[in-house]
Amino acid sequence: MGNRYLAQLTHTSLARAVHAHIVTSGFKSFPLIINRLIDHYCKSSNIPYARHLFDKIPKPDIVATTTLLSAYSVAGNIKLAHQLFKVTPLTIRDTVSYNAMITAFSHSHDGHAALQLFIQMKRLGFVPDPFTFSSVLGALSLIADEERHCQQLHCEVVKRGVLSVPSVLNALMSCYVCCASSPLVDSCLLMAAARKLFDEASTSLRDEPSWTTIIAGYVRNGDLVAARKLLDGMTNHIAVAWNAMISGYVHRGFYEEAFDLLRRMHSLGIQLDEYTYTSVISAASNAGLFYIGSQVHAYVLRTVVKPSQHFVLSVNNALITFYTKCGKLVEAKRIFDKMPVKDLVSWNAILSGYVNARCIEEANTIFREMPERSLLTWTVMISGLAQNGFGEEGLKLFNQMKLEGLDPCDYAYAGAIASCSVLGSLDNGQQLHSQIIRLGHDSSLSVGNALITMYARCGLVEAADTVFLTMPYVDSVSWNAMIAALAQHGHGVRAIQLYEQMLKEDILPDRITFLTILSACSHAGLVKEGRHYFDTMRAHYGITPEEDHYSRLIDLFCRAGMFSEAKTVTESMPFEPSAPIWEALLSGCRIHGNMELGIKAAEQLLKLLPQQDGTYISLSNMYATLGQWDEVARVRKLMRERGVKKEPGCSWIEVENMVHVFLVDDAVHPEVHAVYKYLEQLVHEMRKLGYVPDTKYVLHDMESEQKENALSTHSEKLAVVYGIMKIPLGATIRVFKNLRICGDCHNAFKFISKVVDREIIVRDRKRFHHFRNGECSCGNYW
DNA sequence: ATAGGGTTAG
């Protein structure tokens, strides 16, 4: 019995039999045989048992150590690999075991540790071989961000004469390619260096990885044309290179080119694999091409007979994303549930599917059930909570993430900041901002965009502007966020100016830009401008106005009292008026007292959104104004019968990093008596300046009507008064309300701002009101 | 016993 026989061992049962024989017969175990057994157990993923055997050897040799070390490395257990290496005496280390350890570091993305070890081995007199260079160059690819890093090892490779080893050549090319994507270098220069290596290598040296490396290099650095030229010049068709090209097209949004390459691959008879499929499925997801995606799905099911585990995993992962992006959550979940093996990507894909579909309950369940989580998992969940209005939960999760010892990435910070936007928590937002600066995340695009929105939603438009102006890179999201910030704070003209500047800088507006600019015009009463922008949408930018664009246009006309124009638009729209259209009509009618149209709009809304509380209240108020009390009774009865609950109004204010919440006629807040008392004093002063409480708003409020008096105190008044009492003189009062601000409160705040000579900012569901010196920025237009 | 190329989740 010898090594030759054991080399053919493929079954654990056989290995066990041999092993048992060794043990029972007292057979003196030769290192060769034990090493074979260790190797076997490693390969059959039973590393703990391999380790058990290893520990029994009185004096493990280099081969046994290296075998085990590589097994740890492949399994991703860098800690155990490094431990094993550290306890190995120098006498039983050699170049091979150093190579294995360098590779282990490299595969665990620790380029610096790998490089350190390379330096150490040379200092100790071990001679690097081609394997060493391939490994250490692989590690350098992870960290090289300056040309000289690549050049240093390049020199050493040349001196040692190993540039003629394909794996070394390829790894060196990879180094230049990776370094080229660092923001600190001239990427063309580094790509030229990689290309020179490629061109100067003899044809026989260039193997499939060489071609793929240079093609993928061009793809990664955005030169799709150069990549394509090389691909077209190849005589042998390597699927890997084609896959790199396809994924390049997909990443840059050239979906047609990607599908075209797929068809060519197919007709040339190149074997399509999981990498091809994942890329084209992702193309179908991003381009929203449901038909093509499901065709690919069907084709895979029909043609792939015996898919490997890796194939099943990656293709299904891509399909989960595809189906969620097409809004087919059920199909996505079906695939997810049926998968025999799931990995982190599968879990993250289904999680973000639920989050994007705003199914936050389901997302929470998935998040809890996940067997493991990555930074991405936390980030998806945190920003998902924020996007769905769960600011408090978002911040909580962010803190929990830190408690678990994870370092949040810039996206996670963006999610936390978005949570602050929801809450209007400036204190938390500013603290996060300073952490971000300390950590150097402040150049991140997503962080910048989140900060713009956060400062704007906390009432500090100018701080938002500062962030916008100091961001190193901006995208259309940044412009949209800043335009929206100005619009919400009533700076309609500035919003338009910024939009015009955006056009001057050749940034293409998207559908969101138009939603924003239309709201800006609407808030500021800029009818002519709004109509103009609406017309340019299709004419200049080829963006077909959708329902929400129309509803904003109608809103623009209605607010200005131009009901006949609004009617014309409604009738000429390519679709039937839906809820947002009626809502726009209704709110315009409310401002201008157009009862006839208002009642019609509200009755329509009642049919479309029977659970929306505001409609019943508006409708009953309008009937009440007209004195049609039987109609009032009918609407109320309807509301009761349908079990529609009025969303309770609440307002909050942040004082010294604490959020204080107030309800209508609040009796819960510990200092509420002092608040009422101070409010009384204020009203006394306000009356002297001409303030008359408007009971209309109270009378028509169905909830307070039961109290049969007109003295109900709205939550926003309590919060503002509390702020005046607690916030240092001169500092702005910032109050947030979940619903729209009440008309009497709006009027009262104008007087209060004059009486106490302070700026008061109120954020309601729709926009901001800046009260200063008896005036409001909204111009009574909201 | 050790090395180099392509994919999917924000």
Side-chain angles (χ1 to χ4, degrees):
Chain A
M1 165 140 75
N3 185 40
R4 211 176 335 138
Y5 174 63
L6 276 165
Q8 291 163 12
L9 273 185
T10 46
H11 295 287
T12 298
S13 54
L14 203 53
R16 277 187 193 285
V18 173
H19 189 197
H21 182 74
I22 293 169
V23 174
T24 51
S25 63
F27 188 91
K28 180 133 175 37
S29 51
F30 293 107
L32 219 55
I33 296 170
I34 291 288
N35 289 349
R36 272 289 163 209
L37 277 171
I38 290 175
D39 186 48
H40 169 80
Y41 285 116
C42 284
K43 288 206 172 83
S44 50
S45 321
N46 195 350
I47 307 181
Y49 198 75
R51 179 64 193 242
H52 173 75
L53 278 181
F54 178 86
D55 288 336
K56 284 197 157 180
I57 314 173
K59 279 187 181 156
D61 64 2
I62 307 180
V63 176
T65 310
T66 310
T67 305
L68 197 55
L69 195 147
S70 316
Y72 283 138
S73 163
V74 170
N77 201 332
I78 184 68
K79 262 191 186 162
L80 284 179
H82 194 203
Q83 248 168 34
L84 183 63
F85 187 77
K86 275 191 293 192
V87 299
T88 308
L90 273 185
T91 46
I92 51 167
R93 288 188 196 179
D94 63 358
T95 298
V96 178
S97 61
Y98 268 99
N99 292 350
M101 193 60 229
I102 289 171
T103 307
F105 279 131
S106 167
H107 286 331
S108 68
H109 309 285
D110 193 345
H112 294 286
L115 215 57
Q116 281 304 307
L117 206 62
F118 175 64
I119 292 163
Q120 187 197 83
M121 77 180 276
K122 285 192 295 183
R123 206 176 48 227
L124 294 171
F126 295 99
V127 183
D129 64 3
F131 283 81
T132 320
F133 283 104
S134 311
S135 306
V136 81
L137 283 165
L140 189 62
S141 301
L142 304 167
I143 51 174
D145 53 6
E146 278 180 57
E147 199 189 357
R148 59 187 178 89
H149 296 153
C150 302
Q151 285 168 337
Q152 261 176 9
L153 267 170
H154 190 165
C155 285
E156 213 171 325
V157 162
V158 173
K159 269 189 222 150
R160 303 257 184 187
V162 286
L163 194 57
S164 55
V165 177
S167 66
V168 176
L169 169 75
N170 295 338
L172 186 58
M173 280 202 298
S174 268
C175 244
Y176 279 111
V177 161
C178 290
C179 188
S181 27
S182 155
L184 306 169
V185 302
D186 176 356
S187 99
C188 291
L189 207 81
L190 278 130
M191 276 312 297
R195 181 60 182 263
K196 192 157 170 270
L197 279 168
F198 180 81
D199 287 339
E200 285 174 358
S202 65
T203 328
S204 60
L205 255 183
R206 280 188 224 144
D207 59 4
E208 296 192 354
S210 322
W211 282 92
T212 312
T213 304
I214 192 74
I215 289 175
Y218 279 124
V219 165
R220 273 183 53 172
N221 292 292
D223 194 344
L224 296 182
V225 178
R228 183 59 186 265
K229 260 193 198 147
L230 279 169
L231 185 79
D232 287 340
M234 286 174 81
T235 45
N236 52 339
H237 300 304
I238 307 160
V240 182
W242 284 67
N243 290 342
M245 194 70 232
I246 290 180
S247 86
Y249 282 137
V250 174
H251 276 295
R252 306 268 160 176
F254 298 118
Y255 304 120
E256 262 322 302
E257 284 81 353
F259 293 126
D260 179 57
L261 269 196
L262 175 77
R263 284 186 279 266
R264 276 169 200 260
M265 269 181 97
H266 186 68
S267 59
L268 285 167
I270 306 170
Q271 185 68 52
L272 310 178
D273 63 14
E274 59 265 50
Y275 294 94
T276 328
Y277 290 126
T278 43
S279 289
V280 294
I281 291 169
S282 130
S285 315
N286 296 340
L289 299 165
F290 177 70
Y291 181 67
I292 293 188
S294 44
Q295 266 193 329
V296 172
H297 186 185
Y299 183 79
V300 171
L301 291 177
R302 207 168 56 237
T303 56
V304 183
V305 191
K306 258 197 107 195
S308 69
Q309 190 187 310
H310 184 245
F311 184 99
V312 174
L313 197 58
S314 29
V315 172
N316 278 327
N317 287 346
L319 283 170
I320 292 172
T321 306
F322 168 71
Y323 282 110
T324 57
K325 285 206 179 158
C326 293
K328 314 261 182 206
L329 236 63
V330 178
E331 182 61 20
K333 187 67 174 17
R334 201 183 61 81
I335 293 174
F336 177 80
D337 287 337
K338 256 182 37 186
M339 283 169 76
V341 179
K342 302 172 179 69
D343 66 359
L344 197 54
V345 178
S346 335
W347 284 95
N348 284 341
I350 195 77
L351 178 76
S352 64
Y354 279 118
V355 164
N356 290 331
R358 308 189 141 255
C359 304
I360 218 71
E361 289 275 320
E362 287 86 343
N364 257 323
T365 312
I366 298 273
F367 184 78
R368 278 195 303 268
E369 285 175 355
M370 285 177 76
E372 54 168 338
R373 296 168 186 153
S374 62
L375 268 183
L376 186 122
T377 316
W378 290 87
T379 308
V380 166
M381 201 60 211
I382 292 166
S383 43
L385 286 167
Q387 273 160 28
N388 287 282
F390 297 98
E392 211 178 318
E393 289 81 353
L395 272 186
K396 257 190 202 151
L397 208 62
F398 180 77
N399 290 326
Q400 194 190 329
M401 173 182 185
K402 284 174 137 184
L403 281 177
E404 295 198 7
L406 289 155
D407 282 328
C409 59
D410 54 339
Y411 287 104
Y413 272 99
I417 293 165
S419 303
C420 296
S421 311
V422 172
L423 297 170
S425 174
L426 183 62
D427 288 350
N428 277 314
Q430 281 175 329
Q431 271 169 25
L432 285 165
H433 191 177
S434 64
Q435 285 172 33
I436 282 161
I437 292 169
R438 270 204 304 280
L439 292 166
H441 286 320
D442 51 331
S443 57
S444 155
L445 188 60
S446 47
V447 163
N449 292 344
L451 282 171
I452 294 175
T453 306
M454 187 275 288
Y455 280 119
R457 301 255 297 147
C458 288
L460 279 70
V461 217
E462 301 312 325
D465 199 37
T466 308
V467 171
F468 178 67
L469 291 173
T470 50
M471 277 169 73
Y473 317 100
V474 290
D475 64 359
S476 62
V477 177
S478 330
W479 286 91
N480 293 347
M482 195 58 225
I483 294 170
L486 291 169
Q488 287 160 357
H489 287 277
H491 304 298
V493 176
R494 275 176 73 190
I496 287 175
Q497 283 167 349
L498 194 64
Y499 172 68
E500 293 291 345
Q501 197 190 329
M502 172 179 176
L503 299 183
K504 265 189 217 140
E505 296 191 15
D506 285 327
I507 313 289
L508 275 181
D510 56 20
R511 55 178 306 279
I512 307 287
T513 317
F514 282 106
L515 288 178
T516 310
I517 200 73
L518 285 168
S519 307
C521 293
S522 176
H523 281 321
L526 302 162
V527 181
K528 218 177 74 194
E529 291 82 351
R531 193 207 297 254
H532 164 72
Y533 292 130
F534 186 87
D535 291 337
T536 60
M537 253 181 94
R538 198 201 310 262
H540 296 175
Y541 304 102
I543 302 169
T544 310
E546 285 161 77
E547 214 178 346
D548 37 5
H549 296 105
Y550 277 99
S551 76
R552 277 172 171 75
L553 182 67
I554 289 164
D555 188 65
L556 175 77
F557 287 132
C558 289
R559 276 166 196 268
M562 299 160 71
F563 291 104
S564 65
E565 281 83 353
K567 196 164 166 253
T568 313
V569 175
T570 315
E571 283 161 359
S572 65
M573 287 188 318
F575 27 68
E576 282 299 300
S578 58
I581 306 283
W582 295 117
E583 274 171 350
L585 284 166
L586 176 58
S587 71
C589 292
R590 257 171 43 159
I591 295 171
H592 294 282
N594 184 337
M595 296 297 163
E596 195 191 336
L597 186 57
I599 288 172
K600 188 183 163 198
E603 295 282 8
Q604 292 293 334
L605 257 181
L606 229 50
K607 283 184 203 153
L608 292 167
L609 298 174
Q611 288 304 311
Q612 187 165 292
D613 57 345
T615 317
Y616 294 88
I617 292 153
S618 298
L619 189 58
S620 107
N621 283 351
M622 284 188 287
Y623 282 127
T625 310
L626 293 174
Q628 298 183 15
W629 301 107
D630 46 340
E631 288 297 325
V632 173
R634 180 182 65 86
V635 174
R636 289 182 186 188
K637 192 165 161 253
L638 210 58
M639 190 173 177
R640 242 189 340 268
E641 281 170 358
R642 292 181 178 170
V644 180
K645 289 271 182 297
K646 186 175 180 286
E647 185 182 343
C650 77
S651 301
W652 63 97
I653 184 167
E654 199 176 50
V655 178
E656 286 170 12
N657 210 8
M658 277 282 290
V659 176
H660 298 258
V661 184
F662 294 90
L663 304 169
V664 185
D665 295 324
D666 197 282
V668 180
H669 190 276
E671 291 170 85
V672 81
H673 293 297
V675 173
Y676 282 116
K677 220 171 153 190
Y678 188 50
L679 177 60
E680 234 171 81
Q681 286 174 31
L682 278 175
V683 170
H684 185 68
E685 293 295 315
M686 286 149 65
R687 279 185 192 272
K688 282 190 207 158
L689 294 177
Y691 169 69
V692 180
D694 190 343
T695 50
K696 186 177 85 189
Y697 296 98
V698 185
L699 256 179
H700 293 171
D701 182 324
M702 292 174 69
E703 211 176 43
S704 37
E705 194 221 22
Q706 294 155 351
K707 300 185 176 70
E708 294 186 356
N709 64 48
L711 295 172
S712 183
T713 311
H714 283 138
S715 60
E716 55 266 50
K717 267 199 198 103
L718 300 173
V720 165
V721 172
Y722 186 72
I724 295 169
M725 290 163 59
K726 292 287 170 179
I727 291 174
L729 219 66
T732 305
I733 312 291
R734 274 184 294 269
V735 164
F736 304 84
K737 187 178 182 189
N738 63 338
L739 307 175
R740 285 181 32 151
I741 188 171
C742 130
D744 177 54
C745 292
H746 191 267
N747 188 33
F749 295 160
K750 289 194 217 163
F751 284 93
I752 295 180
S753 74
K754 203 164 184 158
V755 169
V756 299
D757 190 24
R758 297 183 76 153
E759 189 177 0
I760 300 166
I761 300 177
V762 179
R763 178 180 103 187
D764 72 7
R765 180 173 265 186
K766 281 246 157 95
R767 64 173 299 160
F768 282 85
H769 303 266
H770 292 245
F771 300 93
R772 187 187 289 160
N773 201 23
E775 296 293 330
C776 177
S777 63
C778 77
N780 304 329
Y781 209 92
W782 80 94

